[in-house]
Amino acid sequence: MIRSEILREIAPILRDELVVCNIGLPSQELHMIDDQPTNFYMLGTMGLSSSIGLGLALAQDKTVISIDGDGSVLTNLGTLPTIANNVADNFILLIIDNGSYGSTGDQPTYAGKKTSLTAVAKACGCDNVVEVQDKDLGPVLQAAIDGKKQTVIVCKCDSGNIKLPVITMDPVVIRDRFMKAVAG
Ligand SMILES: [Mg+2]
């Protein structure tokens, strides 16, 4: 499965949760598949989906799911020890690990070579780290939501992109409706 197929499959699980989504194609895909005011589409700041999500989870009680990529986590590797040492049991980091920088043309990442982000997350001290194959993600994600324990999920999948439009919604609108959803 490629990332867009995974997002399509888990969209019903994500629908009622606060979701911070990685810049570029992941946000465009989620927006196209199931746009919700509870989705925060990042239009900048590569690598910071996990950091924004953790901060939001620490600041309030609702479940927050950060959808990130292997390339973005490698860009901001300091996020994993930060997550490990600032536990928010309402926070789930979902790393869709396709072994490539998808949004820039599928150049290979080190996560698709010798570096295991699962092993890195565990070594950083993250308590609940689950590696899962693409087709098995749905139940694992639902269990993480229901379990109310901070969880890092590394979902291994194929690289590949679909053609789709950019998000034309004004960033201020994305921010404002998300803030209302957080407060609501
Ligand atoms: Mg990737």
Side-chain angles (χ1 to χ4, degrees):
M1 295 170 76
I2 61 174
R3 182 189 51 248
S4 57
E5 294 170 323
I6 292 170
L7 290 174
R8 199 173 287 284
E9 188 146 308
I10 64 172
I13 300 172
L14 297 174
R15 187 167 297 144
D16 295 329
E17 312 296 343
L18 298 177
V19 176
V20 179
C21 194
N22 189 21
I23 184 176
L25 291 174
S27 276
Q28 292 170 231
E29 290 166 357
L30 183 61
H31 174 264
M32 180 189 72
I33 291 165
D34 190 25
D35 179 39
Q36 296 289 334
T38 46
N39 294 345
F40 183 71
Y41 307 112
M42 292 174 57
L43 302 181
T45 60
M46 177 173 174
L48 291 183
S49 174
S50 58
S51 304
I52 294 169
L54 174 66
L56 179 60
L58 288 166
Q60 52 83 60
D61 292 333
K62 291 179 181 170
T63 297
V64 179
I65 300 168
S66 279
I67 297 176
D68 219 336
D70 51 310
S72 284
V73 170
L74 287 166
T75 298
N76 176 23
L77 213 48
T79 194
L80 292 171
T82 305
I83 290 167
N85 288 278
N86 297 273
V87 174
D89 280 331
N90 56 338
F91 180 59
I92 296 167
L93 171 58
L94 169 58
I95 304 171
I96 299 183
D97 181 356
N98 60 2
S100 74
Y101 292 99
S103 293
T104 55
D106 274 337
Q107 298 88 353
T109 70
Y110 292 136
K113 297 185 174 179
K114 290 171 68 177
T115 303
S116 161
L117 290 177
T118 306
V120 173
K122 287 180 180 173
C124 288
C126 295
D127 290 324
N128 302 300
V129 184
V130 187
E131 184 170 306
V132 65
Q133 277 299 320
D134 42 23
K135 63 179 176 25
D136 301 321
L137 174 61
V140 170
L141 177 60
Q142 188 63 61
I145 294 169
D146 297 340
K148 301 192 188 310
K149 287 281 175 205
Q150 178 170 281
T151 305
V152 177
I153 301 172
V154 180
C155 178
K156 303 292 282 187
C157 68
D158 298 324
S159 63
N161 300 309
I162 55 172
K163 288 222 180 313
L164 77 178
V166 297
I167 298 172
T168 55
M169 198 185 317
D170 193 300
V172 174
V173 173
I174 295 173
R175 180 199 64 191
D176 285 356
R177 67 178 198 161
F178 185 72
M179 287 176 69
K180 280 202 189 79
V182 170

